[in-house]
Amino acid sequence: MAIVEKVIDASPQQVFDVLADGWTYSDWVVGTAHVRDVDEAWPRVGSQLHHRAGPWPFSLQDASTVLVCEPPHRLVLRAGLWPAGEAIVAFTLEPVGEGATRVRIGEDFAAGPLRWVRTKINDLVLHLRNRETLNRLADIATRQKGAP
């Protein structure tokens, strides 16, 4: 499992609030082009976020399903991108210092062709993608921290 971490200048609850707003995923999850719908129960276990990923006109429609939700410390998703496959994505939030959070994102392909094609290049691309995802998540969480 590829793991990337970043310390964000916001509390675990402030960061989790961004994770809990499914409509923002296309703003910070690299590769998500459009959020088509979000179940009303999001992010409860079993709820789904319906998305489109990849560049147009080759984008794929699928959904991500919540497997574990432990606010404000953990969220685990099964992210679908069929026919390419699916990945398990785990967000772990840990308070560090006063008003800061260490966020870890772990991602591993769980099914489909992406699981079978494992290379160091794929791992590097996934690492870089998740680092940028955490940078974008940090931008939104810290912006919301400063909101009245």
Side-chain angles (χ1 to χ4, degrees):
M1 177 176 280
I3 297 175
V4 178
E5 69 177 49
K6 177 178 183 71
V7 174
I8 297 176
D9 186 27
S11 71
Q13 186 62 57
Q14 290 163 320
V15 176
F16 197 87
D17 287 348
V18 178
L19 299 178
D21 182 356
W23 291 105
T24 69
Y25 273 58
S26 60
D27 296 338
W28 58 271
V29 176
V30 174
T32 302
H34 176 69
V35 173
R36 298 178 292 117
D37 193 23
V38 179
D39 288 358
E40 220 173 279
W42 183 268
R44 277 193 254 146
V45 171
S47 62
Q48 292 189 320
L49 172 117
H50 306 270
H51 51 73
R52 183 179 304 227
W56 182 89
F58 306 107
S59 59
L60 302 171
Q61 292 188 41
D62 210 326
S64 292
T65 304
V66 177
L67 301 177
V68 177
C69 181
E70 299 169 352
H73 301 291
R74 191 164 174 242
L75 183 66
V76 180
L77 309 174
R78 182 184 324 108
L81 194 56
W82 288 99
E86 65 185 30
I88 302 299
V89 183
F91 295 92
T92 306
L93 288 67
E94 173 189 342
V96 291
E98 198 162 319
T101 304
R102 176 175 288 112
V103 180
R104 288 185 184 93
I105 181 172
E107 184 169 2
D108 201 8
F109 297 117
L114 290 175
R115 183 173 184 215
W116 307 322
V117 183
R118 287 205 108 107
T119 66
K120 290 190 183 286
I121 293 172
N122 290 351
D123 289 347
L124 176 62
V125 169
L126 190 60
H127 180 84
L128 294 172
R129 171 188 170 270
N130 286 341
R131 185 175 349 154
E132 178 60 20
T133 290
L134 289 182
N135 288 338
R136 294 177 184 189
L137 176 64
D139 289 344
I140 294 171
T142 55
R143 184 175 65 229
Q144 289 183 352
K145 177 182 179 180

